[in-house]
Every structure is written in structure tokens, then in C-alpha cells.
Amino acid sequence: MKKLFILILIMCQLPCYIYGKYSISGVPWDQSQLKEADNLLIPAGTKNTDLIYRVNGKDGRLYQAYLGVKLGNIDDLKLNRDADHLAYATFGTDNLFEPAIRMTHNDGNPSLELKYVSHNIEKPDPDIIQTNIHLKDPQYPAEVTLHIKSYLAEDVIEQWVEITPGESKPVTVFNYASSMLHFDATSYWLSQFHGDWAEEMKMQENELTNGIKILDTKLGTRAHMYQTPVFFLSLNKKSYENDGELIAGTLGWSGNFQFVFEVDEKGSLRVISGINPFASEYTLQPGKTFKTPSFIFTYSNHGKGLASRNLHRWAANYGIMDGNKPRLTLLNNWETTYFNFNEPKLDGLLNDTKKMGLDLFLLDDGWFANKYPRNDDRSGLGDWQENKTKLPDGLGYLVKEADSKGVKFGIWIEPEMVNPKSELYESHPDWILKLPNRPENYFRNQLVLDLTNPEVQEFVFNIVDGMLTKYPGIAFIKWDCNRMMTNAYSVYLKDKQSNLYIDYVNNLYSLLDRLRQKYPHFPIMLCSGGGGRVDYGALRYFTEFWASDDTDPVERVYIQWGYSYFFPAFAVCNHITSWGKQSLKFKTDVAMMGKMGYDIPVNALSEKELKFSQDAIANYKRLSDVIWHGDLYRLISPYEENRAVLMYVNGSKDKAVLFGYTLNSRFNENFNRVRLQGLDPLKTYKIQEINVVPGGFQHGPSDSGKSYTGDYLMKVGLTIGGGFALTSNVFEITE
């Protein structure tokens, strides 16, 4: 009923405006009526946000008239055009700043002009309104369509563009942004997230000054190894968790991306988001349309916390494969065995999976290749047959054994890559991205397969499909991608090398589309040397992602905190491993704030540790729905104190889970009480600590076992964290 009411409310506004060629009423109007359409407003907002475009009848162009909190009456905008900015600026005519699009026509003319032609509105779902605005060059047959998909209840907007040259000969596009947004504020603060292998998602905030700031990557695959394609942009002042006006933005693209932030001489800011055009001028053949990836953003005037909750709800409903379905808990063998395993050892790990109370055993790298056995990372990649020495009875034996023990079986693959020491490399050197007349450049002793080549696409599809067809009992895949592109050259593309970075990603998506048509709900973990390929372009096909190879729980607090701004807990895989010298409890409590799993030698656990882990897994399964799908409230940031505190609250506000981590403790340091959020002030809640070590000393507050009103908990709060570093508490809060 709520979604229906929102739709009726928005639709009641629609007839107030003249619509383009294809209006809601179906009545067309001609381009000659452009002057009559002067000051035509085109709303494309959500429940709490308005994004409004305006047609200028004098020059025929489309402008952004407003972006911000919902207006009571958008007709007021007709009285003032001072805030108008070109909605999708071109290059070559009179635009003096960074363009959203740049094109050279087949007669050599390097300019483009876009005039409004029409727009139409689609309603693919009661919760979604899609606005399509059609623009055209008056002198050339080039057409551009701006697509704005508004998710009403989630307050999220998705934008992408389709470019159709319409000329009889090929046309080259040099810039092709997914989105261009404009802001007029007194100051702008940009929060970006950067890092490297094992140190992902470091948050950094700076004020934007006059000129251009660019966040980008040029690495091809494993694209955001150094920069992650997400940002916060705060307006007028810095934003905090519950205060400030901002947008949270991200690009759904698994390749080279670029965000351009340009502040002009008048203090206006334009944000251009899309594929990085570096070394990627794209040749469009006649009759072809270039579709950009989606830029996804949410506006908040109540700080970063609200923006995160908007994105989390959107991701669960629309952004991540099977976002509202349960996930599997698993035991991975990597840190227990690395490449050194055999059938008896794996059979023991299957027993350990059952003993722990986990759902699935995941066999990691090292199970394949015979001529060049995969006994380390220098050989075998690309030869996807079971290694006869390690697995004489094949994967079928392990699948059958897992089933007999009441657990599921999963497998690791890295199908886009190849070792030079492999049969695949020997048989198909033309399938590999490498420069002619240059030495091969390796990263992790491997090279990238050329997914622009249809034969390679078929090969990769058959790897996965063949395995799942032969062994239908396989229940999970971890899909890895451990290197970026360097010295990249495609034999298949010949004289169109600048298409490589774009075609590679689009063909990867086509491949994944094909797999999902046959296996629509099969769980697959996205991995890329850790979190090197985390974006909503890929997550349409994956159920979760491996956040980082760094599983030290102290580092993971910061890494997982960073991911939590843009990605929901059910998608962020956190494992208890041998990294770090902290207690098993601390490691477990940190992993539990997302999708918990294990990568430890279970047989090395003491009896007390085993019992603690079994109980923690049972707690996690009991509370996982609250953690995965509850509203997240980040209460104390590790960037601001020597502790981190966060909580999840379910939709009915009768259950919450609170996590507290003391990272460091200075002499005589006293932490303030933590005021909780998201509860019902009129309800009474019982506070109960869980994941308690049997017989161990507890560093938690004395509030465990007591009951308080939601009003008290949100105004007075609880004591979280103590005088001991590297300690943690998890509390179950129940009405």
C-alpha cells in the first residue's frame, strides 16, 4: 500500500506538464512546437528527492533545474532559471568546461550539439519510474537518450545514456559519461576510498577547490585496486553520520572508471561519472548504439547513515543477485592447506564443516591441472581438469562425500586468467592479451585471457557450464580475478585496440548473462585479489564479494566499515582466519558484522574454542536476517575514537544486534556511553550479551541481562568498550 500511495502521489503531479513526443496521454507534439514547450519541467525524483530537468525553448537545450530535497510545488521553479545547468554538456560548440560527451563525425567534424526532442515515462514496477529524455543534433543524425530510473521507496536514482550516431560510416566517441550532475553550494567536501591489496577502502575527505579533481583507474581488470568507484559529496559543510546534505554515488562498472569534479569560477560544481575514456576512444559502427554503465546515487539531507541505508535497501531489492535470499556459511581450506592437500585431508575438512555447524565447504586454489600441476601460483592456470595426484577420484567424489555428511560443496575458479606454464598457453597463444614485440609482463605469474574474442568467451563459459553439468551437486563458486591488465593487446581486435577495455567488460557481462540464464540462482562469490572488483555492475551476477585478502580483524574493522557505506552486510564476506594475534572471540565478533565464514584449521582448536565457535555460528544463523537486512546505524567511528560501535535493527524494531570493538585503550581512558539508534522509544528491550567465552573474563558493561526502554537507550545509552585493547562485545537486543 505504501508503494502504491507513492506512485499515486507522483502520478498526480505528472499531468501538470506538457510531455514530449510520447506523452503519458499518448498525444504527440512536433519539434516545431519547441518554443511552446519553453520552461517545460521534467521531474525524475523519488519519495524524498527531486531531480528536475527543464527544456529551454529559446536554444532547444535540456538543463538540470534542481536536485535536492523534495519540493512541495515544483511549479515554483518556473519563476527562476538562475540555477540551470546543461544536463549533458557536449564538446566543440560553446561549452567551456569538461564535456559529458565528445564525438567526431565521419566527415571529420569534432563537434556535437544536442537539442531536446521528446521524452517518455515508463513504469516497469510500482516502485520504479523510468524517464527517458531524447536529444538530437540538429545537423547530424546523432541521437542521445538520457535514462533516469527512480526507485521511489529506496530514494535511489540510476542514470545511464544511450548514444546512437545514425551515420552511414563509423563514428568515434571520445567521452561518453553515464551522468552529469550539477550543484550550487558554498563549499564541497569529497570523501573518497582508496587503497591497495590487503588495505582496501581507506577513507579520506578533502574540500574541493576551484579546478578539477579526478578519481579514476586505468587497470582494466581488477580495476579499483587503488581507487574504489564510490564517493560521498557533501554540500555546504562536512557531513557526518546523522547530519549534513550529500549524495553517495557509485558506478556499476567492473573496468576503468572516472569521476570528474569540476568547480568553476562561480563556485558551481559539475560531477561527471562514467567509463574512463583514457586510451578508450570507441569506434561505433553504423546502426550500433553505445550504452553506458549505470551511475547510481542517493541524496540525503540527514547525513551518511541515511544514504547508506538507502543504498542497502536498493541493493537488496535490485542491485545484488538474490539480495533478499539467505546466504550460506562456509569453511574455506586456503589458510589450512594452501596448495598442499589430497582427498583424505579434504575429507577431514568436510567433517570439520559439519562439526562446526556450517553449510558449505569451499575448495580453493590448487585442485586442477596435470601436465603442469597447480602446486603453486606459477603453473596450471587455464587447465581446468582435476589434478589426478591430489584428486584421483575427481570432484565427483568430494561432492558425494559432502552430501553424505550433510554439507554442500563449493569450488574456486579463475577462468579469465592463464599461466604461461600451462597447456592453454601452449595451445592458444592468440587468446592472450600481450603486446607484440615486447616482453611479457606478469602479475602473480599470470596473464589475462582475451574476452573480446568469441572463442575465449565460449571457452570460459564451457569451463563453468561443463563443471556444473558434470557435477550438478556443486553448490557454490568463488570466481577470482587476480591481476590487472598491463602490456595489453588483443590479436582479435586488430586495428581497434582502443575498444579493448570497454569490450572486455561488456563481454564479461554477456558471458555472465548467459550463465545466469542457465543458472539463475546459483551462489557465486565475487573475488579479485580481495576487493578489487566490487561494484554494482558485477554484483548483478554475484551473490556476495570477498572484501579483502587482509583478514586481520583490526584492519578488517576499517575495511568493513568502509564497505558498509555503500554495500549491505549480506554481501560483504568476512572470514575468521589465522591473520592477526587477537583472540578467537575478537576475530569472530568482527567477522559477524557481515557474511561470516571460516578459514582456519578446525582440528587445531581447543575444546573450548570449538564450543565457542559452534555457539557463535548458531547465534549468527539465528540473528543473520537482522544483520543482513536490518537498518545499519554506525554509532562510533574507528576514524574518530579507539573503538568502533555499530548496530542493525530489523524492520519491525523488535530485534537488534549491537557490535562493539575496542581497538586500543590508553592509560586512564574512559569511553562515553553510546546512544543507540533506530529503536522504538515506546518499546522495552532486553539487553543480552552473546558470543561469551565459557569461563572467560568479560570486558563488557554491566547492562547485559537488563531491560530498558528504547527512549532510554537512544537518549542515555549503554557503556560499550572497556579498558582493554582488542576486546569486543556483541549484544542481542530484543523487545
Side-chain angles (χ1 to χ4, degrees), residues 67-109:
L67 171 57
V69 68
K70 196 80 175 176
L71 296 173
N73 179 14
I74 70 171
D75 274 338
D76 291 341
L77 290 172
K78 292 185 176 182
L79 304 176
N80 182 13
R81 302 192 188 200
D82 293 344
D84 283 8
H85 299 283
L86 275 174
Y88 198 71
T90 62
F91 170 82
T93 54
D94 60 353
N95 172 42
L96 302 180
F97 299 98
E98 282 292 304
I101 184 170
R102 182 162 74 96
M103 175 187 296
T104 296
H105 302 280
N106 58 54
D107 64 359
N109 191 323

Short mmCIF file of all heavy atoms in Angstrom, two decimals, residues 67-109:
data_model
loop_
_atom_site.label_atom_id
_atom_site.label_comp_id
_atom_site.label_asym_id
_atom_site.label_seq_id
_atom_site.Cartn_x
_atom_site.Cartn_y
_atom_site.Cartn_z
N LEU A 67 18.18 19.66 -8.05
CA LEU A 67 18.47 18.37 -7.43
C LEU A 67 18.57 18.59 -5.93
O LEU A 67 19.41 19.36 -5.46
CB LEU A 67 19.77 17.77 -7.96
CG LEU A 67 20.29 16.52 -7.23
CD1 LEU A 67 19.26 15.41 -7.23
CD2 LEU A 67 21.59 16.03 -7.86
N GLY A 68 17.68 17.95 -5.18
CA GLY A 68 17.72 18.11 -3.74
C GLY A 68 16.50 17.54 -3.07
O GLY A 68 15.79 16.68 -3.63
N VAL A 69 16.23 18.03 -1.88
CA VAL A 69 15.11 17.52 -1.10
C VAL A 69 13.80 17.80 -1.84
O VAL A 69 13.67 18.76 -2.58
CB VAL A 69 15.11 18.18 0.30
CG1 VAL A 69 14.80 19.67 0.23
CG2 VAL A 69 14.16 17.46 1.25
N LYS A 70 12.82 16.95 -1.62
CA LYS A 70 11.54 17.03 -2.33
C LYS A 70 10.89 18.40 -2.17
O LYS A 70 10.82 18.95 -1.06
CB LYS A 70 10.59 15.96 -1.78
CG LYS A 70 9.39 15.67 -2.65
CD LYS A 70 9.79 14.74 -3.78
CE LYS A 70 8.61 14.31 -4.63
NZ LYS A 70 9.04 13.48 -5.76
N LEU A 71 10.45 18.97 -3.29
CA LEU A 71 9.77 20.26 -3.27
C LEU A 71 8.26 20.07 -3.10
O LEU A 71 7.69 19.11 -3.61
CB LEU A 71 10.03 21.01 -4.57
CG LEU A 71 11.49 21.40 -4.86
CD1 LEU A 71 11.61 21.99 -6.25
CD2 LEU A 71 12.00 22.38 -3.82
N GLY A 72 7.63 21.02 -2.43
CA GLY A 72 6.19 20.95 -2.27
C GLY A 72 5.46 21.25 -3.57
O GLY A 72 4.42 20.65 -3.87
N ASN A 73 6.01 22.14 -4.37
CA ASN A 73 5.39 22.52 -5.63
C ASN A 73 6.48 22.86 -6.63
O ASN A 73 7.10 23.93 -6.55
CB ASN A 73 4.46 23.72 -5.43
CG ASN A 73 3.79 24.16 -6.75
OD1 ASN A 73 3.84 23.43 -7.74
ND2 ASN A 73 3.20 25.34 -6.74
N ILE A 74 6.75 21.99 -7.58
CA ILE A 74 7.86 22.23 -8.50
C ILE A 74 7.55 23.34 -9.49
O ILE A 74 8.46 23.85 -10.16
CB ILE A 74 8.27 20.94 -9.25
CG1 ILE A 74 7.22 20.51 -10.27
CG2 ILE A 74 8.56 19.82 -8.28
CD1 ILE A 74 7.71 19.38 -11.16
N ASP A 75 6.30 23.75 -9.59
CA ASP A 75 5.97 24.87 -10.47
C ASP A 75 6.70 26.15 -10.07
O ASP A 75 6.91 27.05 -10.89
CB ASP A 75 4.46 25.13 -10.47
CG ASP A 75 3.73 24.26 -11.48
OD1 ASP A 75 4.40 23.79 -12.42
OD2 ASP A 75 2.53 24.04 -11.32
N ASP A 76 7.10 26.24 -8.79
CA ASP A 76 7.85 27.41 -8.35
C ASP A 76 9.15 27.57 -9.13
O ASP A 76 9.67 28.68 -9.26
CB ASP A 76 8.16 27.32 -6.86
CG ASP A 76 6.90 27.47 -6.00
OD1 ASP A 76 5.89 27.99 -6.52
OD2 ASP A 76 6.93 27.05 -4.84
N LEU A 77 9.69 26.46 -9.64
CA LEU A 77 10.93 26.53 -10.42
C LEU A 77 10.76 27.32 -11.71
O LEU A 77 11.74 27.82 -12.27
CB LEU A 77 11.43 25.11 -10.75
CG LEU A 77 11.97 24.28 -9.59
CD1 LEU A 77 12.23 22.85 -10.06
CD2 LEU A 77 13.24 24.89 -9.03
N LYS A 78 9.54 27.42 -12.19
CA LYS A 78 9.31 28.14 -13.45
C LYS A 78 9.60 29.63 -13.32
O LYS A 78 9.79 30.33 -14.32
CB LYS A 78 7.87 27.94 -13.91
CG LYS A 78 7.57 26.51 -14.35
CD LYS A 78 6.17 26.39 -14.92
CE LYS A 78 5.92 24.98 -15.44
NZ LYS A 78 4.58 24.84 -16.05
N LEU A 79 9.64 30.11 -12.07
CA LEU A 79 9.86 31.53 -11.83
C LEU A 79 11.34 31.91 -11.80
O LEU A 79 11.67 33.09 -11.77
CB LEU A 79 9.21 31.94 -10.51
CG LEU A 79 7.71 31.63 -10.38
CD1 LEU A 79 7.21 31.99 -8.99
CD2 LEU A 79 6.92 32.38 -11.45
N ASN A 80 12.23 30.90 -11.79
CA ASN A 80 13.66 31.19 -11.64
C ASN A 80 14.49 30.19 -12.43
O ASN A 80 14.39 28.99 -12.21
CB ASN A 80 14.04 31.13 -10.16
CG ASN A 80 15.49 31.48 -9.92
OD1 ASN A 80 16.18 32.00 -10.81
ND2 ASN A 80 15.96 31.20 -8.72
N ARG A 81 15.33 30.69 -13.34
CA ARG A 81 16.20 29.83 -14.13
C ARG A 81 17.67 30.03 -13.76
O ARG A 81 18.55 29.53 -14.45
CB ARG A 81 16.03 30.11 -15.62
CG ARG A 81 14.61 29.94 -16.13
CD ARG A 81 14.58 29.96 -17.64
NE ARG A 81 13.22 29.98 -18.17
CZ ARG A 81 12.90 29.62 -19.41
NH1 ARG A 81 13.82 29.21 -20.24
NH2 ARG A 81 11.65 29.67 -19.81
N ASP A 82 17.94 30.73 -12.68
CA ASP A 82 19.32 31.07 -12.35
C ASP A 82 20.17 29.85 -12.06
O ASP A 82 21.39 29.88 -12.25
CB ASP A 82 19.35 32.01 -11.12
CG ASP A 82 18.75 33.36 -11.43
OD1 ASP A 82 18.62 33.67 -12.63
OD2 ASP A 82 18.41 34.10 -10.49
N ALA A 83 19.56 28.78 -11.57
CA ALA A 83 20.33 27.60 -11.18
C ALA A 83 20.44 26.57 -12.31
O ALA A 83 20.94 25.48 -12.09
CB ALA A 83 19.69 26.94 -9.95
N ASP A 84 19.99 26.92 -13.51
CA ASP A 84 20.01 25.95 -14.62
C ASP A 84 21.43 25.68 -15.10
O ASP A 84 22.25 26.60 -15.22
CB ASP A 84 19.18 26.48 -15.79
CG ASP A 84 17.68 26.32 -15.55
OD1 ASP A 84 17.31 25.95 -14.42
OD2 ASP A 84 16.91 26.57 -16.48
N HIS A 85 21.70 24.40 -15.39
CA HIS A 85 22.98 23.98 -15.96
C HIS A 85 22.70 22.94 -17.03
O HIS A 85 21.77 22.14 -16.89
CB HIS A 85 23.88 23.36 -14.88
CG HIS A 85 24.22 24.30 -13.76
ND1 HIS A 85 25.17 25.29 -13.88
CD2 HIS A 85 23.73 24.39 -12.49
CE1 HIS A 85 25.27 25.95 -12.73
NE2 HIS A 85 24.40 25.42 -11.87
N LEU A 86 23.53 22.92 -18.07
CA LEU A 86 23.33 21.95 -19.16
C LEU A 86 23.30 20.53 -18.61
O LEU A 86 24.21 20.10 -17.90
CB LEU A 86 24.45 22.07 -20.19
CG LEU A 86 24.28 23.12 -21.28
CD1 LEU A 86 25.54 23.20 -22.14
CD2 LEU A 86 23.06 22.79 -22.16
N ALA A 87 22.27 19.80 -18.97
CA ALA A 87 22.07 18.47 -18.41
C ALA A 87 23.12 17.48 -18.90
O ALA A 87 23.51 16.57 -18.15
CB ALA A 87 20.67 17.95 -18.77
N TYR A 88 23.56 17.63 -20.15
CA TYR A 88 24.53 16.68 -20.72
C TYR A 88 25.38 17.48 -21.72
O TYR A 88 25.09 17.50 -22.91
CB TYR A 88 23.81 15.51 -21.37
CG TYR A 88 24.66 14.29 -21.60
CD1 TYR A 88 25.09 13.50 -20.54
CD2 TYR A 88 25.02 13.90 -22.89
CE1 TYR A 88 25.86 12.37 -20.75
CE2 TYR A 88 25.79 12.76 -23.11
CZ TYR A 88 26.22 12.01 -22.03
OH TYR A 88 26.98 10.88 -22.24
N ALA A 89 26.41 18.13 -21.21
CA ALA A 89 27.18 19.09 -22.00
C ALA A 89 28.01 18.39 -23.07
O ALA A 89 28.62 17.34 -22.84
CB ALA A 89 28.09 19.89 -21.08
N THR A 90 28.07 19.00 -24.24
CA THR A 90 28.80 18.47 -25.38
C THR A 90 30.12 19.21 -25.55
O THR A 90 30.41 20.20 -24.87
CB THR A 90 27.98 18.60 -26.66
OG1 THR A 90 27.74 19.99 -26.91
CG2 THR A 90 26.64 17.88 -26.52
N PHE A 91 30.92 18.74 -26.51
CA PHE A 91 32.19 19.38 -26.85
C PHE A 91 32.14 19.90 -28.28
O PHE A 91 31.53 19.28 -29.16
CB PHE A 91 33.35 18.38 -26.72
CG PHE A 91 34.65 18.89 -27.27
CD1 PHE A 91 35.46 19.73 -26.51
CD2 PHE A 91 35.06 18.56 -28.56
CE1 PHE A 91 36.65 20.22 -27.03
CE2 PHE A 91 36.25 19.04 -29.08
CZ PHE A 91 37.05 19.87 -28.31
N GLY A 92 32.80 21.03 -28.50
CA GLY A 92 33.01 21.50 -29.87
C GLY A 92 32.24 22.73 -30.25
O GLY A 92 32.52 23.34 -31.28
N THR A 93 31.23 23.13 -29.44
CA THR A 93 30.48 24.34 -29.77
C THR A 93 30.83 25.43 -28.75
O THR A 93 31.91 25.99 -28.81
CB THR A 93 28.98 24.06 -29.84
OG1 THR A 93 28.54 23.45 -28.62
CG2 THR A 93 28.66 23.12 -31.00
N ASP A 94 29.97 25.69 -27.79
CA ASP A 94 30.22 26.80 -26.87
C ASP A 94 30.44 26.38 -25.42
O ASP A 94 30.53 27.24 -24.55
CB ASP A 94 29.08 27.82 -26.96
CG ASP A 94 27.73 27.21 -26.59
OD1 ASP A 94 27.67 25.97 -26.39
OD2 ASP A 94 26.75 27.96 -26.50
N ASN A 95 30.51 25.10 -25.13
CA ASN A 95 30.77 24.66 -23.76
C ASN A 95 32.24 24.88 -23.42
O ASN A 95 33.13 24.40 -24.14
CB ASN A 95 30.40 23.18 -23.60
CG ASN A 95 30.83 22.62 -22.26
OD1 ASN A 95 30.67 23.27 -21.24
ND2 ASN A 95 31.38 21.41 -22.27
N LEU A 96 32.52 25.57 -22.33
CA LEU A 96 33.89 25.92 -21.96
C LEU A 96 34.48 24.99 -20.89
O LEU A 96 35.63 25.16 -20.51
CB LEU A 96 33.93 27.36 -21.44
CG LEU A 96 33.43 28.43 -22.40
CD1 LEU A 96 33.52 29.81 -21.76
CD2 LEU A 96 34.20 28.40 -23.71
N PHE A 97 33.69 24.02 -20.43
CA PHE A 97 34.14 23.15 -19.35
C PHE A 97 34.16 21.69 -19.82
O PHE A 97 33.93 21.40 -20.98
CB PHE A 97 33.25 23.34 -18.12
CG PHE A 97 33.28 24.75 -17.60
CD1 PHE A 97 32.27 25.65 -17.93
CD2 PHE A 97 34.32 25.18 -16.80
CE1 PHE A 97 32.29 26.95 -17.46
CE2 PHE A 97 34.35 26.49 -16.31
CZ PHE A 97 33.35 27.38 -16.65
N GLU A 98 34.46 20.80 -18.88
CA GLU A 98 34.54 19.37 -19.22
C GLU A 98 33.22 18.90 -19.82
O GLU A 98 32.15 19.15 -19.26
CB GLU A 98 34.85 18.54 -17.97
CG GLU A 98 36.29 18.56 -17.55
CD GLU A 98 37.20 17.85 -18.54
OE1 GLU A 98 36.95 16.66 -18.83
OE2 GLU A 98 38.14 18.48 -19.03
N PRO A 99 33.26 18.21 -20.96
CA PRO A 99 32.02 17.72 -21.57
C PRO A 99 31.63 16.36 -21.02
O PRO A 99 32.47 15.59 -20.52
CB PRO A 99 32.40 17.61 -23.04
CG PRO A 99 33.85 17.23 -23.02
CD PRO A 99 34.44 17.96 -21.82
N ALA A 100 30.35 16.05 -21.13
CA ALA A 100 29.88 14.70 -20.84
C ALA A 100 30.09 13.79 -22.04
O ALA A 100 30.27 12.58 -21.89
CB ALA A 100 28.40 14.73 -20.45
N ILE A 101 30.07 14.38 -23.23
CA ILE A 101 30.21 13.60 -24.46
C ILE A 101 31.06 14.37 -25.46
O ILE A 101 30.97 15.60 -25.57
CB ILE A 101 28.82 13.27 -25.06
CG1 ILE A 101 28.97 12.36 -26.29
CG2 ILE A 101 28.02 14.52 -25.37
CD1 ILE A 101 27.64 11.79 -26.79
N ARG A 102 31.91 13.63 -26.18
CA ARG A 102 32.71 14.20 -27.27
C ARG A 102 32.72 13.20 -28.42
O ARG A 102 32.98 12.02 -28.21
CB ARG A 102 34.13 14.49 -26.80
CG ARG A 102 35.02 15.13 -27.86
CD ARG A 102 36.24 15.79 -27.24
NE ARG A 102 37.24 14.86 -26.79
CZ ARG A 102 38.32 14.50 -27.51
NH1 ARG A 102 38.50 14.99 -28.72
NH2 ARG A 102 39.19 13.66 -27.01
N MET A 103 32.43 13.69 -29.61
CA MET A 103 32.28 12.82 -30.77
C MET A 103 32.89 13.48 -32.01
O MET A 103 32.81 14.70 -32.17
CB MET A 103 30.78 12.55 -31.01
CG MET A 103 30.45 11.75 -32.25
SD MET A 103 28.65 11.66 -32.56
CE MET A 103 28.09 10.75 -31.12
N THR A 104 33.49 12.66 -32.86
CA THR A 104 33.94 13.12 -34.17
C THR A 104 33.13 12.40 -35.24
O THR A 104 33.11 11.16 -35.28
CB THR A 104 35.44 12.86 -34.39
OG1 THR A 104 36.18 13.64 -33.44
CG2 THR A 104 35.86 13.26 -35.79
N HIS A 105 32.45 13.18 -36.09
CA HIS A 105 31.62 12.59 -37.13
C HIS A 105 32.49 12.06 -38.27
O HIS A 105 33.68 12.38 -38.37
CB HIS A 105 30.64 13.65 -37.66
CG HIS A 105 29.77 14.21 -36.58
ND1 HIS A 105 28.66 13.57 -36.10
CD2 HIS A 105 29.87 15.36 -35.85
CE1 HIS A 105 28.10 14.30 -35.15
NE2 HIS A 105 28.82 15.39 -34.97
N ASN A 106 31.89 11.26 -39.14
CA ASN A 106 32.71 10.62 -40.17
C ASN A 106 33.18 11.58 -41.25
O ASN A 106 34.00 11.22 -42.09
CB ASN A 106 31.99 9.40 -40.78
CG ASN A 106 30.66 9.75 -41.39
OD1 ASN A 106 30.58 10.64 -42.24
ND2 ASN A 106 29.61 9.05 -40.98
N ASP A 107 32.71 12.85 -41.22
CA ASP A 107 33.26 13.85 -42.13
C ASP A 107 34.38 14.65 -41.47
O ASP A 107 34.87 15.63 -42.03
CB ASP A 107 32.16 14.80 -42.63
CG ASP A 107 31.53 15.63 -41.52
OD1 ASP A 107 31.95 15.47 -40.34
OD2 ASP A 107 30.64 16.45 -41.82
N GLY A 108 34.76 14.26 -40.24
CA GLY A 108 35.85 14.92 -39.54
C GLY A 108 35.42 16.02 -38.60
O GLY A 108 36.24 16.56 -37.86
N ASN A 109 34.14 16.39 -38.56
CA ASN A 109 33.67 17.45 -37.69
C ASN A 109 33.71 16.97 -36.23
O ASN A 109 33.05 16.00 -35.88
CB ASN A 109 32.23 17.83 -38.07
CG ASN A 109 31.76 19.09 -37.39
OD1 ASN A 109 32.08 19.34 -36.24
ND2 ASN A 109 30.97 19.89 -38.10
#
